[in-house]
Amino acid sequence: MTAIDLSRKPIGDLELAKLADALLTNMTVEILNLNECRITDAGISSICDILNKNEIVEELYLGGNHIGVEGAAAISTALITNETLRVLSLNGNAEIGDKGVVYLIGALEHNSTLVDLQVHGCGCYEGPKDGAEGHGNLAAAATNRIRQIDDILYDRRIDSNFESLLERLFDDDFRVTGIDLTGRQIGAKGVTRLAEALADNTQVRQLWLRDCGVDDDGAMALASCLEQNMTIVDLFLGSNHIGDEGLKSISDALALSNLTLVSLEMDGNRVGDSGIDYFYRALDKNTSLLVASFENNRIEDFEKLEMLQKFLGERRSGLNLVSF
């Protein structure tokens, strides 16, 4: 067994302690999923035991629990000496707050192995929301913690292979017609560099960026790329952190200049009703897009999705294409 998935099992702190004891000497489990398991700060000592003594676990998922500032501080201390963990997800632990995230950022200065730290929905400052600019000094003075983490981890995520890929894209290498970076947490910074390399590229037709840590800033960089690039046909952006603002940027690119993108996959992002409305309206000016997917987003009005799919279906039918 190389993975344990107890997500959405209400094991709580007591059962977690038993699991931690069993894992202290385990030499096979590399992935531990404890999302939504009712873990509190009281149970984090068990997590810290795993981080301090187990040298096998590489991915730890603790999203949607009840971890607060004290729990984040304890995890931060354990991360300082841990040398095996590569992925840590704390998404949706709102009680961690900005102070708790600052503790985690501090630990990254000492930890050299973690390449993906997820703290979305943890109550930290993630950048100004719609209309928040100029509302007092708090938003202006607050640091974007997500961006801080991305900047710290960027060099760890980007290896020589990625740098080589960028060079080949700038050179318009005819042998590179598809790029699959699924699961590579290159973040907004890496996506921005990729978008710059693709802007004038005439070879790449398919681009997979699923689960790459792409947020609204990354989506905006891709939108700028789509305004210039005229060869990318399929774009896969599922399982990222793109919201309405990111989708609006992509929509503008499709409406104003892009005539080649045929399919766009946005499953598992943070798009809401306003983003879908904007996207739908943009299609009035775009004639190339035939397929779009927005499953598992934050859309509440499902009639909007049905209208979108009906519209695209009719567009495909008009071209005598098989619906897919």
Side-chain angles (χ1 to χ4, degrees), residues 54 59 190 214 260 287 296:
N54 180 290
E59 299 181 23
V214 184
T260 53
T287 58
N296 299 317

Side-chain angles (χ1 to χ4, degrees), residues 8 59 62 65 70 74 106 114 121 137 157 159 164 168 174 203 205 256 259 324:
R8 299 184 178 180
E59 299 181 23
L62 295 169
N65 284 292
E70 292 183 7
L114 201 69
N137 295 323
R157 297 166 176 164
D159 55 21
S164 176
R168 295 176 70 181
F174 71 92
Q203 307 298 329
R205 294 176 61 81
L256 297 175
L259 300 173
F324 61 99

Side-chain angles (χ1 to χ4, degrees), residues 77-235:
T77 300
L79 286 176
I80 291 174
T81 56
N82 181 277
E83 297 180 350
T84 54
L85 197 68
R86 292 176 54 80
V87 177
L88 173 61
S89 173
L90 292 164
N91 292 337
N93 285 283
E95 297 174 11
I96 286 178
D98 201 64
K99 185 176 181 180
V101 173
V102 169
Y103 283 131
L104 293 164
I105 291 174
L108 294 180
E109 297 179 3
H110 305 278
N111 176 288
S112 61
T113 55
L114 201 69
V115 297
D116 185 12
L117 174 59
Q118 303 171 15
V119 293
H120 290 277
C122 286
C124 65
Y125 182 75
E126 300 185 21
K129 308 300 181 184
D130 292 344
E133 295 85 354
H135 288 188
N137 295 323
L138 180 60
T143 303
N144 187 329
R145 305 303 182 194
I146 305 295
R147 185 64 61 244
Q148 271 189 283
I149 293 172
D150 189 52
D151 288 343
I152 293 171
L153 297 182
Y154 176 73
D155 290 336
R156 305 181 193 179
R157 297 166 176 164
I158 303 304
D159 55 21
S160 58
N161 290 332
F162 185 77
E163 296 293 345
S164 176
L165 171 62
L166 295 181
E167 290 181 9
R168 295 176 70 181
L169 294 176
F170 277 119
D171 291 339
D172 211 20
D173 190 333
F174 71 92
R175 293 166 294 185
V176 184
T177 59
I179 299 173
D180 188 352
L181 294 173
T182 299
R184 293 281 301 277
Q185 294 295 313
I186 60 176
K189 197 170 183 179
V191 170
T192 298
R193 293 187 63 199
L194 180 66
E196 291 170 352
L198 283 169
D200 295 317
N201 183 279
T202 62
Q203 307 298 329
V204 174
R205 294 176 61 81
Q206 283 82 33
L207 179 58
W208 284 268
L209 293 173
R210 290 181 178 135
D211 189 23
C212 285
V214 184
D215 58 11
D216 282 344
D217 289 340
M220 292 175 189
L222 288 171
S224 296
C225 168
L226 291 175
E227 290 177 2
Q228 295 179 245
N229 182 286
M230 293 300 158
T231 54
I232 294 176
V233 175
D234 304 307
L235 179 57

